[in-house]
Amino acid sequence: MPDLQLPIIGYMHSPYQEKFGIPRQPNLVQVESYIEMIAPYNDLCAFEGIAEFSHLWLIWQFHENKNSNENHKFRPQVRPPRLGGNQKIGVFATRSMYRPAPIGLSVVQLKSVKKVGKSVHVYVTGSDLLDGTPIIDIKPYIQYSDAILHAKSAYAQQAPVKKQVICSKNVQSKIQRLIEMDKMTVQTQDELEQVLSLDPRPAYQDDEKRIYKMKFAGLDVSFTVHEHEVSITDIVEMD
């Protein structure tokens, strides 16, 4: 049987500029992003009627896996972050990126669809996609059939507990200067704090003295994590 060939219909533009820091599920952070559709899919006619739906399914490609199954043997078990990164379970019982087909599925909230130059942009919130992620398909979310209110979700039944995000007066001053210089917006600050509140560290890391670094929306962000809070220690514009 021949391999399945899937077209790329567009690319995601998001503030997530590296895998570290991306929420582990969609809709945990209300970050705004947009899909830039490419020809021949950049036709507004293809989106007629979509505004009647509040949410969409995005089908997309894990495109930056360093250990993709395309080049390595099938791994039947993986270590989910929600289980501490140490316990192995079957790959089909997880949403791990390391799977037979490098395909992801995310629900996002639709904001608008606009013609921008020769392209069409699909604006959404709640995405958990890396900047530049190839989009394979877009489908409407159907509330009566897609929402299973009493579904059981094993180890991922509850949403993660959020931590308080704090920063020193010096960091607050830096953020204010970045906003005044149009290098950052108040919305970006809010989105960054939402991301950090989820504690983006791998589950097996628990060093309160370690300074972690994350790239987000053109910014290099440094932070430490404690039991109930995340402290931003520095923030600068990326080179």
Side-chain angles (χ1 to χ4, degrees):
M1 182 179 293
D3 291 338
L4 178 65
Q5 299 293 321
L6 297 175
I8 293 173
I9 65 172
Y11 292 91
M12 175 61 76
H13 292 260
S14 85
Y16 301 122
Q17 296 176 307
E18 59 181 357
K19 288 186 287 185
F20 180 60
I22 297 179
R24 297 189 178 105
Q25 302 295 342
N27 291 301
L28 294 178
V29 177
Q30 294 308 303
V31 163
E32 288 194 7
S33 52
Y34 69 90
I35 301 164
E36 182 178 3
M37 306 299 294
I38 62 175
Y41 313 104
N42 56 340
D43 187 337
L44 279 177
C45 291
F47 296 91
E48 186 173 348
I50 201 171
E52 302 303 315
F53 295 90
S54 65
H55 291 74
L56 304 173
W57 286 107
L58 302 183
I59 303 172
W60 45 278
Q61 178 188 9
F62 289 107
H63 67 298
E64 287 207 358
N65 285 1
K66 295 180 180 179
N67 193 21
S68 170
N69 277 319
E70 293 179 3
N71 303 314
H72 296 78
K73 292 183 179 180
F74 170 60
R75 294 192 297 177
Q77 293 193 317
V78 296
R79 295 181 172 89
R82 284 293 291 270
L83 295 178
N86 294 315
Q87 181 179 340
K88 284 186 176 183
I89 63 174
V91 65
F92 298 126
T94 76
R95 296 191 181 189
S96 168
M97 65 183 71
Y98 302 113
R99 50 197 322 108
I103 302 300
L105 181 67
S106 298
V107 172
V108 295
Q109 183 176 1
L110 173 64
K111 304 303 291 185
S112 62
V113 178
K114 297 179 181 178
K115 187 73 173 180
V116 180
K118 294 183 178 180
S119 181
V120 168
H121 289 185
V122 182
Y123 294 89
V124 300
T125 60
S127 164
D128 57 342
L129 275 63
L130 180 69
D131 187 52
T133 294
I135 305 298
I136 295 171
D137 204 354
I138 299 171
K139 298 178 183 290
Y141 179 91
I142 307 297
Q143 191 276 336
Y144 79 84
S145 62
D146 292 350
I148 312 298
L149 299 181
H150 302 293
K152 180 179 178 181
S153 301
Y155 58 86
Q157 188 72 27
Q158 302 296 328
V161 177
K162 294 187 176 182
K163 299 178 185 287
Q164 181 183 6
V165 179
I166 62 173
C167 55
S168 66
K169 290 184 178 180
N170 180 53
V171 172
Q172 288 176 344
S173 296
K174 284 191 172 185
I175 291 174
Q176 186 59 40
R177 286 198 298 271
L178 288 167
I179 291 174
E180 291 172 354
M181 297 167 59
D182 291 328
K183 304 295 185 181
M184 182 178 183
T185 66
V186 174
Q187 178 177 320
T188 300
Q189 179 184 0
D190 178 66
E191 293 174 348
L192 171 62
E193 291 180 358
Q194 288 186 59
V195 171
L196 292 176
S197 73
L198 293 171
D199 186 356
R201 301 173 302 167
Y204 56 83
Q205 292 184 359
D206 191 25
D207 184 354
E208 293 190 353
K209 296 181 179 180
R210 178 172 176 175
I211 296 178
Y212 297 87
K213 294 182 181 295
M214 182 179 74
K215 299 183 187 302
F216 182 86
L219 303 168
D220 277 320
V221 183
S222 301
F223 62 96
T224 58
V225 183
H226 306 277
E227 184 178 1
H228 299 296
E229 66 183 30
V230 177
S231 178
I232 302 175
T233 60
D234 198 12
I235 184 167
V236 296
E237 184 183 5
M238 287 173 55
D239 294 334

